[in-house]
Amino acid sequence: MKKIILLLAALTVATGANALSNMEKTAMDTMRRNGASDACIAKMTPGEATFIYTTMNDGDMSPGTKNRRIKDKTNQICAR
């Protein structure tokens, strides 16, 4: 019984560690729309996902500026 409980606890922790936040999923979708490959998206750090997400939702920036900043960040990530 103790082993079953430990197994379930380990499974719960592992599942939570691999779960993506809504912000990261949104950033990944945005990068895909900008033509990034899966290999490029895998290089994205949480900080870069935050940058992309906050840029998308910035009410003070024009749509053109948002698109340019996101495209530049995507190209920077893919260039690594």
Side-chain angles (χ1 to χ4, degrees):
M1 185 67 174
K2 195 174 193 179
K3 288 182 182 182
I4 292 173
I5 293 171
L6 289 175
L7 178 64
L8 288 175
L11 182 60
T12 303
V13 170
T15 303
N18 291 329
L20 293 175
S21 69
N22 186 42
M23 178 186 65
E24 290 171 319
K25 290 177 187 175
T26 303
M28 289 170 59
D29 291 341
T30 302
M31 287 182 70
R32 278 194 188 95
R33 281 195 303 273
N34 281 326
S37 66
D38 288 338
C40 176
I41 292 170
K43 297 176 186 178
M44 181 175 58
T45 65
E48 291 164 336
T50 302
F51 175 85
I52 291 170
Y53 184 80
T54 56
T55 301
M56 284 177 42
N57 295 307
D58 189 341
D60 296 331
M61 252 188 260
S62 70
T65 302
K66 289 179 188 181
N67 290 338
R68 172 55 38 209
R69 290 185 75 187
I70 292 169
K71 188 173 271 304
D72 288 346
K73 180 56 85 173
T74 300
N75 291 338
Q76 180 187 14
I77 294 167
C78 293
R80 281 193 254 142

